[in-house]
Amino acid sequence: MTDAPSYGFDTLSIHAGARPDPATGARQTPIYQTTAYVFRDADHAAALFNLQEVGYIYSRLTNPTVAVLQERIATLEGGVGAVCCSSGHAAQIMALFPLMAPGRNVVVSTRLYGGSITQFSQTIKRFGWSAKFVDFEDMEAVAAAIDEDTRAVFCESVANPGGYVTDLPAAAQVASDAGLPLIVDNTSATPYLCNPIAHGATLVVHSMTKYLTGNGTVTGGVVVDSGRFDWSASDKFPSLSQPEPAYHGLKFHETFGPLAFTFHGIAIGLRDLGMTLNPQAAHYTLMGIETLSLRMERHCENALKIAQWLENDDRIEAVTYAGLESSPYYDRAKALFPKGTGGLFTVALKGGYDACVELVGKLELFSHVANPGDTRSLIIHPASTTHRQLTEQQQIAAGAGPNVVRISIGIENAEDLIRDLDAALPR
Ligand SMILES: *Cc1c(COP(=O)(O)O)cnc(C)c1O
């Protein structure tokens, strides 16, 4: 498709990156289930390996089905390029990898998906990296946490699961004042509801496992690059600005300009870390994205109805949905996410931990599962599951205290979901 930016979001969700298969005319993007690609001759092979020519070598690095998905998501997010990888968590490592080194740190929001809190507070230490957790409601504290060794600032657009909306323009300003990239996890919002790049983000990461695929069939992730960051403005990002020994001294930023981060992600990140998305998974995610806007509209509509119903029920202590007027983030959500704030929220029950366990056990339509962002409605009690590894203080900071359930509203009939909740909530 040419001249992509002139089309609307729904059109791009179906067409961006795709064209009829040049070999067969197949209208749907084929699943190129191949490990390798035949070189035309030795010169062609050498040019590909030297990054002098763009093409396909080996599916750990590039694959035509995955390439369509990369172009589609980059287009929907308003980025210049994207690198797909094997999970959302892989995407977070892939986003940080070119920026970090032993001794460096990333300043991250306390309001993150529980798995991300564990990844950042524990696992990245094995690489000699560290994370400084800060409440992003206090932007002065975010600025104050940045030191000489900080290489990125990280937050979620709408946080999973707390119904928290980050002030993205303010976070982008703090990062930019410090000469650092802002990385935004846009999983819970999707590009349909929010484009963090338009609010100043440098990189956007997604777990495609959730709304992008949309039906709980795939584990995948993606890093989208805005192409706007000047990696050579300081000496902080040598992997992108300095000669790369693994490519005969090639300088990624000088050579590839705004595509430096994307090329580095493929040529170094996927090549050497190997967190590659397989073409079958890319196919499922492409299918999912074709209906992204229709699904997100219904997710938002249902979520608002159900959040309003819950808020008025006397068994409920609080509902944290940024689409509710009672939410402290309502005005910010309206400004940043005018189409809605997605299908995820948390509910605090007056009956505490035990009532949460009973509710989760009794529901019939809602499934008790660890993922959000499915066509079907899902529920989980974070304190006894996803957020179990966290201290109670971390749980509360992440919006997942002991009396809280996280609900992911699907695209079923809202009345059916309300009836199910009404019957299962302990009296
Ligand atoms: C699920 C999730 C992740 C991790 O993604 P995986 O695909 O499960 O690795 C990261 N961030 C958010 C907001 C998520 O919901």
Side-chain angles (χ1 to χ4, degrees):
M1 214 172 69
T2 53
D3 199 24
S6 61
Y7 291 107
F9 188 92
D10 299 357
T11 306
L12 294 170
S13 298
I14 293 166
H15 293 285
R19 54 196 66 79
D21 181 49
T24 63
R27 178 58 272 202
Q28 191 49 275
T29 299
I31 304 169
Y32 286 90
Q33 197 70 47
T34 183
T35 305
Y37 308 84
V38 178
F39 304 122
R40 289 195 300 271
D41 52 38
D43 288 344
H44 176 223
L48 290 174
F49 276 93
N50 281 341
L51 298 183
Q52 286 156 342
E53 189 177 328
V54 177
Y56 297 102
I57 299 176
Y58 188 59
S59 282
R60 177 162 20 87
L61 289 86
T62 47
N63 172 280
T65 313
V66 176
V68 171
L69 178 59
Q70 288 172 162
E71 194 174 331
R72 184 158 310 168
I73 296 175
T75 305
L76 294 179
E77 281 290 11
V80 296
V83 180
C84 284
C85 32
S86 51
S87 71
H89 270 0
Q92 291 169 199
I93 296 297
M94 287 280 292
L96 289 174
F97 181 67
L99 315 177
M100 302 286 276
R104 307 301 185 213
N105 68 69
V106 51
V107 169
V108 306
S109 171
T110 46
R111 297 180 228 222
L112 295 182
Y113 167 69
S116 302
I117 294 178
T118 310
Q119 186 186 51
F120 291 146
S121 63
Q122 308 295 332
T123 305
I124 64 169
K125 287 188 198 157
R126 309 284 182 95
F127 305 140
W129 310 348
S130 63
K132 294 184 174 187
F133 286 86
V134 189
D135 182 354
F136 273 48
E137 272 313 278
D138 185 351
M139 284 297 165
E140 280 174 25
V142 177
I146 293 172
D147 64 25
E148 258 173 37
D149 287 319
T150 305
R151 290 296 177 270
V153 176
F154 186 103
C155 62
E156 291 182 21
S157 48
V158 189
N160 169 8
Y164 175 73
V165 176
T166 307
D167 186 348
L168 293 178
Q173 191 62 51
V174 169
S176 142
D177 288 348
L180 297 174
L182 173 68
I183 307 174
V184 177
D185 181 342
N186 198 33
T187 298
S188 305
T190 81
Y192 175 71
L193 298 177
C194 174
N195 286 140
I197 289 171
H199 300 293
T202 308
L203 302 170
V204 176
V205 294
H206 279 279
S207 166
M208 304 194 299
T209 315
K210 317 293 170 48
Y211 291 109
L212 286 180
T213 308
N215 46 27
T217 48
V218 157
T219 306
V222 64
V223 186
V224 183
D225 179 16
S226 65
R228 291 191 192 155
F229 196 86
D230 182 357
W231 304 109
S232 306
S234 73
D235 58 4
K236 288 185 173 168
F237 306 103
S239 298
L240 294 158
S241 63
Q242 297 303 309
E244 169 57 53
Y247 274 106
H248 316 299
L250 176 136
K251 295 181 183 174
F252 276 87
H253 193 207
E254 189 182 285
T255 309
F256 300 112
L259 279 166
F261 195 93
T262 302
F263 271 85
H264 191 278
I266 293 169
I268 307 283
L270 290 182
R271 188 192 66 178
D272 297 341
L273 300 178
M275 300 165 163
T276 306
L277 187 75
N278 70 75
Q280 187 88 37
H283 164 76
Y284 286 126
T285 305
L286 281 166
M287 296 299 94
I289 291 176
E290 290 193 352
T291 57
L292 180 65
S293 51
L294 298 175
R295 287 185 288 107
M296 292 314 292
E297 253 173 52
R298 178 65 71 84
H299 281 296
C300 291
E301 185 189 320
N302 278 359
L304 183 59
K305 273 188 203 160
I306 293 162
Q308 284 168 339
W309 178 83
L310 284 165
E311 194 177 36
N312 291 313
D313 191 279
D314 59 10
R315 292 163 286 184
I316 304 302
E317 187 180 293
V319 182
T320 60
Y321 185 56
L324 290 173
E325 283 178 40
S326 58
S327 164
Y329 312 112
Y330 179 78
D331 291 334
R332 191 182 289 165
K334 277 270 169 284
L336 293 178
F337 313 128
K339 286 187 264 185
T341 43
L344 276 180
F345 55 84
T346 63
V347 183
L349 304 193
K350 285 186 184 153
Y353 188 98
D354 294 339
C356 293
V357 172
E358 192 178 330
L359 169 67
V360 164
K362 266 198 186 165
L363 284 164
E364 288 187 355
L365 276 178
F366 283 79
S367 306
H368 182 201
V369 294
N371 67 307
D374 196 321
T375 45
R376 65 215 88 234
S377 292
L378 316 171
I379 189 165
I380 195 158
H381 182 215
S384 62
T385 54
T386 50
H387 288 56
R388 205 185 171 86
Q389 307 307 325
L390 309 184
T391 62
E392 189 168 324
Q393 211 170 1
Q394 282 177 317
Q395 288 174 353
I396 292 167
N403 70 332
V404 170
V405 287
R406 181 192 72 199
I407 292 186
S408 171
I409 296 295
I411 60 175
E412 302 101 327
N413 292 102
E415 313 79 75
D416 293 337
L417 299 174
I418 290 174
R419 215 176 308 122
D420 198 26
L421 286 164
D422 193 26
L425 274 166
R427 298 246 159 227

